[in-house]
Amino acid sequence: MDCMRALFTLYRGGILMHRARTFAIDEVDQDTRTALVFQTAVTWFTRQRDYVDAIPSHVERAVPLADRTQLCYGALEIRATVFGYTRIDTRTKRVLERVEQRPSTLTTDTRGLWIDVPLDVGQALAAADHDVEASIHGAAHALWRAVAARASCLASELASECKSPLATRAKHPRLVVYERAPVSAGPTLRVLPHARSIVSSALDRRLRRLCAYDFLC
């Protein structure tokens, strides 16, 4: 399997499903890119505990949107970190255990779009008693959907940062939509000429509450 999928699938103590068979993961060696697994029969499955940071590294194009705000297109560095997993009962879906592990991080490069949120916008949200991070999260999902719709691609071909509300790491206030598998003339580049209409569409989605981001997170 590819490196990114392996990071989220192969971790010591996890359960791997393959061709209707269940395997327990005993050892993972990132240096040799190998994993030792054995077939087992259990009544629970595992779900990784992770976070992803999308960090712009180079602006290739920028489209002005409003005073001090622009939609940028360019290169991003994606840092995916798995820090443990959750054991979940197969039948009841009840959480049985949360396991902490030494964090494992994989870095890849991709292309995408982003909007840096001005400081005064965050301050205005806070002054209006809104959850700033939740507001940015919702806006990012609306932009995600709007980009996918305009590019005529599946939403699953794109991604965004989805920071847990329980996470404590500091993040720059930014809306990010990036390509999971970057290609030349990918969806984020194709929609760039329609930047303003995409942002308007995203705003309309938020106002009408059309973005059910639980589906995407």
Side-chain angles (χ1 to χ4, degrees), residues 82-100:
V82 174
F83 58 91
Y85 62 89
T86 302
R87 266 200 316 137
I88 302 171
D89 185 276
T90 302
R91 184 176 60 84
T92 66
K93 303 302 185 287
R94 182 172 62 91
V95 173
L96 302 174
E97 183 183 15
R98 289 185 174 89
V99 178
E100 299 282 346

Side-chain angles (χ1 to χ4, degrees), residues 43-100:
T43 59
W44 46 270
F45 64 95
T46 58
R47 180 176 296 155
Q48 78 278 359
R49 303 173 66 193
D50 63 77
Y51 60 84
V52 175
D53 292 321
I55 305 167
S57 55
H58 177 65
V59 178
E60 297 182 11
R61 301 186 190 180
V63 179
L65 298 174
D67 184 33
R68 299 177 295 108
T69 305
Q70 57 186 4
L71 179 70
C72 299
Y73 167 83
L76 296 107
E77 182 180 85
I78 307 301
R79 297 177 186 170
T81 301
V82 174
F83 58 91
Y85 62 89
T86 302
R87 266 200 316 137
I88 302 171
D89 185 276
T90 302
R91 184 176 60 84
T92 66
K93 303 302 185 287
R94 182 172 62 91
V95 173
L96 302 174
E97 183 183 15
R98 289 185 174 89
V99 178
E100 299 282 346

Side-chain angles (χ1 to χ4, degrees), residues 5 16-23:
R5 184 184 171 205
L16 172 67
M17 299 293 295
H18 180 66
R19 295 184 178 178
R21 293 187 292 173
T22 304
F23 297 86

Side-chain angles (χ1 to χ4, degrees), residues 126-177:
D129 203 26
H130 292 297
D131 185 317
V132 177
E133 290 197 0
S135 298
I136 292 174
H137 186 187
H141 274 270
L143 183 63
W144 181 353
R145 287 282 194 172
V147 170
R150 187 74 193 200
S152 299
C153 71
L154 297 175
S156 58
E157 295 178 41
L158 306 171
S160 182
E161 289 182 309
C162 292
K163 181 181 175 183
S164 165
L166 302 178
T168 58
R169 72 188 191 282
K171 290 294 299 177
H172 183 85
R174 178 184 290 130
L175 313 184
V176 181
V177 177

